[in-house]
């Protein structure tokens, strides 16, 4: 099995999950592909240095592999790098997978490809992607290369857990600037704990059955959306946020306060976190043959210290 993005947030969790399987009689030979340091936490993995932005470095990374987990991406503001990594790099990786005749390809993408909401419970076929950022637009282009190669695309919602440098740090930054209930806190969004996402990816990678290698697109997060007020209260309980004040501000007042106070979260990002952006996700869990578990809020205790130490620091 080849795992790209092996030192990343999700990739590291996938390696941990594979290591757990390796303690029994179901060990998997893993080629961990990263552009930086040797991945930690997976005994027996063979590290391969490669960078999606350097397509020549990808030559041969898939040779002899039966499964490719394509988990590398760039989500920063550099539009040229977005194209180089998420679009051109993914296409080059898929070309290598096809040349090596890899039997199963699973690629991690994002529900951000759908663009502005509100989105309320739609499945994949009920929405037309309309990305508004270079990151999500280039990831949508990369999806096309995966589908052309016969792969499975997983569009994930917001991923929580130790290593999260975006979702909860953004909530912390936004709450500092908008210290009130956000339009009643009723907005719902799709979230998944990183270890549950890793569990889903590994199950899809190793499961059998007639549909195991079928290409297409699935949503990959917990099937139950998380209400904003419940998430904020849970973060306050773990001392990541102060207790939510009794004051409740209208949506317009929230946006005005956000704009008036310096910070790194944009109005678009605030809307993704605070308004309705949730998507049906039963199919991926059914196909993997596993239960989604109790949901991401029940896992927050494991990442609380990480979030307290990081605060609302700008992603980097």
């Amino acid at each position: 099995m080849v795992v790209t993005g092996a030192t990343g947030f999700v990739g590291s969790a996938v390696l941990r999950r594979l290591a757990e399987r390796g303690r029994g009689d179901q060990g998997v030979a893993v080629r961990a592909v990263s552009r930086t340091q040797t991945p930690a936490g997976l005994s027996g993995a063979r590290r391969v240095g490669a960078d999606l932005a350097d397509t020549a470095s990808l030559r041969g990374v898939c040779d002899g592999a039966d499964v490719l987990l394509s988990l590398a991406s760039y989500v920063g503001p550099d539009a040229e790098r977005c194209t180089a990594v998420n679009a051109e790099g993914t296409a080059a990786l898929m070309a290598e997978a096809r040349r090596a005749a890899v039997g199963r390809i699973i690629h991690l993408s994002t529900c951000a490809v759908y663009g502005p909401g509100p989105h309320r419970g739609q499945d994949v076929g009920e929405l037309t992607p309309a990305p508004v950022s270079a990151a999500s637009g280039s990831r949508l282009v990369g999806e096309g290369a995966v589908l052309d190669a016969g792969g499975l695309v997983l569009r994930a919602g917001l991923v929580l857990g130790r290593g999260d440098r975006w979702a909860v740090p953004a909530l912390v930054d936004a709450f500092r600037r908008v210290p009130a209930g956000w339009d009643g806190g009723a907005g719902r969004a799709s979230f998944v704990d990183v270890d549950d996402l890793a569990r889903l990816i590994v199950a899809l990678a190793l499961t059998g059955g007639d549909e195991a290698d079928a290409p297409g697109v699935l949503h990959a997060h917990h099937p139950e959306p998380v209400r904003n007020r419940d998430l904020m209260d849970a973060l306050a309980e773990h001392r990541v946020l102060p207790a939510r004040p009794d004051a409740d501000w209208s949506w317009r007042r929230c946006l005005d306060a956000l704009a008036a106070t310096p910070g790194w979260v944009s109005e678009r990002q605030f809307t993704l976190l605070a308004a309705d952006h949730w998507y049906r996700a039963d199919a991926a869990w059914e196909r993997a043959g596993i239960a989604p578990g109790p949901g991401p809020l029940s896992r927050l205790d494991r990442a609380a210290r990480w979030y307290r130490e990081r605060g609302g620091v700008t992603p980097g």
Side-chain angles (χ1 to χ4, degrees), residues 9-143:
F9 178 32
V10 177
S12 295
V14 167
L15 293 188
R16 291 193 298 269
R17 184 69 183 174
L18 289 168
E20 291 172 3
R21 292 183 63 94
R23 296 190 186 108
D25 58 359
Q26 296 180 306
V28 178
V30 175
R31 190 177 306 156
V33 181
S34 67
R35 65 183 180 87
T36 55
Q37 72 272 21
T38 301
L42 184 60
S43 175
R46 181 163 73 88
R47 190 259 177 178
V48 175
D51 184 350
L52 263 66
D54 177 9
T55 56
S57 72
L58 299 172
R59 185 69 178 175
V61 297
C62 294
D63 287 356
D66 55 353
V67 178
L68 167 62
L69 301 183
S70 171
L71 310 179
S73 63
Y74 171 74
V75 296
D78 186 332
E80 289 186 3
R81 183 160 180 80
C82 285
T83 297
V85 173
N86 303 334
E88 296 170 356
T90 298
L93 179 63
M94 293 306 118
E96 280 298 303
R98 296 175 80 165
R99 186 186 64 79
V102 176
R104 182 173 299 181
I105 300 168
I106 298 174
H107 174 77
L108 184 62
S109 187
T110 171
C111 287
V113 300
Y114 294 124
H119 301 140
R120 302 184 175 104
Q122 292 98 327
D123 214 335
V124 171
E126 299 172 324
L127 286 168
T128 300
V132 296
S133 70
S136 55
S138 59
R139 293 183 79 176
L140 182 63
V141 172
E143 286 186 10

Side-chain angles (χ1 to χ4, degrees), residues 132-296:
V132 296
S133 70
S136 55
S138 59
R139 293 183 79 176
L140 182 63
V141 172
E143 286 186 10
V146 176
L147 295 173
D148 288 346
L152 174 66
V153 171
L154 300 179
R155 289 178 183 157
L158 297 164
V159 186
L160 303 180
R162 182 173 177 82
D164 166 26
R165 298 177 183 273
W166 193 88
V168 170
L171 285 164
V172 173
D173 177 76
F175 186 77
R176 176 181 59 81
R177 297 156 65 192
V178 189
W182 299 343
D183 202 26
R188 293 187 290 174
S190 289
F191 287 87
V192 64
D193 177 79
V194 67
D195 291 325
D196 284 334
L197 178 57
R199 187 166 55 89
L200 175 63
I201 291 170
V202 170
L204 289 168
L206 301 179
T207 190
D210 293 339
E211 295 184 355
D213 296 321
V217 180
L218 296 174
H219 291 146
H221 39 256
H222 198 276
E224 292 296 323
V226 175
R227 190 170 55 174
N228 176 259
R229 76 164 68 97
D230 296 334
L231 174 58
M232 304 297 268
D233 287 347
L235 291 171
E237 180 181 342
H238 290 292
R239 296 182 292 111
V240 177
L241 287 175
R244 188 165 53 91
D246 293 334
D248 188 80
W249 292 356
S250 69
W251 188 249
R252 183 68 264 164
R253 184 175 178 185
C254 288
L255 296 183
D256 289 345
L258 187 79
T261 309
W264 62 268
V265 172
S266 68
E267 179 178 322
R268 161 67 179 150
Q269 292 166 333
F270 179 78
T271 300
L272 280 173
L273 293 164
D276 283 333
H277 288 87
W278 61 279
Y279 311 90
R280 187 171 179 183
D282 307 272
W285 299 95
E286 292 170 359
R287 179 159 163 177
I290 60 174

